[in-house]
Amino acid sequence: MSRTRARAHTRVRATTLAVLLAALAACSPSGSPDSQDGEAPQAAADRPVKVTVTPEGDRVPAGEPVRVTATGGTLTSVRVTDDEGHRLTGKVAADGRSWVSDRKAVPGAAYTVTAATRTAAGTAKSTKAAFSTAPAEKVNKVDWRPGAKATVGVAQPISLVFDHPVKNRTEVEKHLRITTSNNTEGSWGWIRDWSGRDRVDWRPRTYWKPGTEVTLKAELNGTDSGADGGWFVRDYTTTFTIGTRQIVKVDLDRHQLTLVRDGERVRRIPVSGGTPGGDKRSWRGTAVLMAKEGTINMNSETVGLGDAYDKMVDYSMRLTWSGMYAHAAPWNARYFGNSNQSSGCIGMSDANAAWFYGQVRPGDPFEITGKDTKGVVDPGNGFGAWNLSWAQWQQKSALR
């Protein structure tokens, strides 16, 4: 072969190689879809996770849950605590992209959020954020019954009375939880307390079963009452037990009181009820023993009866806020068992009152009958919820 032909073959092989290399370069990807500006796939998968926390800033409005989201990776855990060490619990979503607190941020608190993350490449990191909430301009407080660890009668409701109006009743009721040892059926009902304040009671469908253990958890901290009501800034809890089944039956027409325990009559006591025909009449229906107050001063002017009486009274047992009691009334001895001549209360002898006072407990129902009375005890006048049917009571729930 001549030198000329050898040089020609060399040029052909070089040209062919150049074309093949160009074709290979054209068919090869210029970079990973996840890379930026030629960034290697592994580097792109290991970029830092972006964590977003809401709310953010200082003195933000309270009453919203805390939300944490992750972009470019996943959340492995989130911890939210306030400046007093209280924790807002929550759960990371199944896809690892978000977390929401179970409860809302409360007024006047400073929160720290610690989010643990993991990149697609497996690198773990921790990110912190902080925010604070504005203090409550108005605080709503709660007075509740019965007290913790009490043993009460079978008609005792759970009763919450609020300092200020509650317009967001549905939201408030959602945070009231009742648990019982035997799954007792019951319902909340919103009523007007005798004091004029908003009130919500929980009563069973029927009288409690003796021995039932009851727990109330009112997880209200961070809940807005609504216009003119203010914020709740604490939780409330109470536990109590239902005692012996005792029912007090008062027959005003026959002028007698009967204590029935576990279905058996224990004692019948002659009494004198409220004077017929005017403001001194007694109430009828079911009244619940609210408190055993012992020896107290009773003044007729406090219940709108002028200066009819002002005296110290022994063995006083309160039945209504309006002033109906069962108590010792020795000044009416000649009327016991034969005539109603009191100023609205149920009076009995000193001896019978002393015995009876030692037998009953708050929460025992007084089932009062009689033709000439002021009417049925109102739900807010003491614990009168039992004077409504079950269907009527359920209608008073904001969650009906």
Side-chain angles (χ1 to χ4, degrees), residues 116-171:
T117 61
R118 189 178 302 279
T119 66
T123 300
K125 187 179 178 181
S126 180
T127 301
K128 284 194 173 185
F131 69 93
S132 65
T133 54
E137 294 183 3
K138 190 175 187 178
V139 173
N140 205 347
K141 296 181 180 179
V142 181
D143 177 33
W144 73 95
R145 296 183 183 220
K149 300 182 180 179
T151 298
V152 296
V154 296
Q156 176 70 52
I158 301 162
S159 184
L160 308 180
V161 181
F162 303 94
D163 277 3
H164 303 303
V166 179
K167 300 295 176 59
N168 292 342
R169 292 183 173 183
T170 300
E171 185 67 17

Side-chain angles (χ1 to χ4, degrees), residues 133-358:
T133 54
E137 294 183 3
K138 190 175 187 178
V139 173
N140 205 347
K141 296 181 180 179
V142 181
D143 177 33
W144 73 95
R145 296 183 183 220
K149 300 182 180 179
T151 298
V152 296
V154 296
Q156 176 70 52
I158 301 162
S159 184
L160 308 180
V161 181
F162 303 94
D163 277 3
H164 303 303
V166 179
K167 300 295 176 59
N168 292 342
R169 292 183 173 183
T170 300
E171 185 67 17
V172 168
E173 192 173 328
K174 286 179 181 178
H175 291 84
L176 306 178
R177 294 177 174 82
I178 302 295
T179 56
T180 70
S181 58
N182 52 19
N183 297 318
T184 301
E185 181 183 6
S187 175
W188 290 102
W190 290 87
I191 57 180
R192 178 71 64 180
D193 186 64
W194 186 259
S195 66
R197 295 183 293 172
D198 283 346
R199 171 176 151 190
V200 63
D201 285 8
W202 194 97
R203 54 152 277 204
R205 181 169 186 166
T206 59
Y207 290 157
W208 293 100
K209 181 179 179 181
T212 303
E213 297 177 354
V214 187
T215 299
L216 160 69
K217 288 187 177 180
E219 297 181 331
L220 293 172
N221 196 1
T223 302
D224 184 4
S225 299
D228 301 322
W231 290 85
F232 295 101
V233 296
R234 60 163 291 189
D235 296 333
Y236 301 85
T237 185
T238 188
T239 59
F240 59 95
T241 304
I242 307 302
T244 305
R245 181 181 176 86
Q246 293 191 142
I247 299 173
V248 181
K249 296 183 179 292
V250 181
D251 188 333
L252 295 174
D253 294 334
R254 294 185 177 182
H255 321 293
Q256 62 185 22
L257 174 156
T258 305
L259 176 62
V260 179
R261 181 179 298 143
D262 295 329
E264 300 293 330
R265 188 179 75 186
V266 178
R267 182 183 289 194
R268 181 171 291 161
I269 296 173
V271 298
S272 180
T275 304
D279 291 339
K280 291 185 179 181
R281 291 174 294 175
S282 299
W283 294 100
R284 72 175 184 274
T286 299
V288 177
L289 179 56
M290 300 176 67
K292 295 163 67 174
E293 297 181 5
T295 301
I296 62 174
N297 176 256
M298 289 191 179
N299 188 318
S300 56
E301 294 181 349
T302 64
V303 291
L305 294 177
D307 59 355
Y309 58 87
D310 184 2
K311 60 182 69 178
M312 300 302 293
V313 179
D314 295 328
Y315 305 112
S316 297
M317 294 159 274
R318 181 182 283 275
L319 298 176
T320 69
W321 285 125
S322 62
M324 186 168 76
Y325 285 78
H327 61 76
W331 55 87
N332 264 355
R334 65 186 182 278
Y335 301 121
F336 298 150
N338 59 68
S339 180
N340 292 323
Q341 295 296 325
S342 81
S343 295
C345 293
I346 300 166
M348 63 196 80
S349 70
D350 281 337
N352 281 329
W355 176 87
F356 185 63
Y357 190 90

Side-chain angles (χ1 to χ4, degrees), residues 108-121:
Y111 288 96
T112 299
V113 180
T114 304
T117 61
R118 189 178 302 279
T119 66

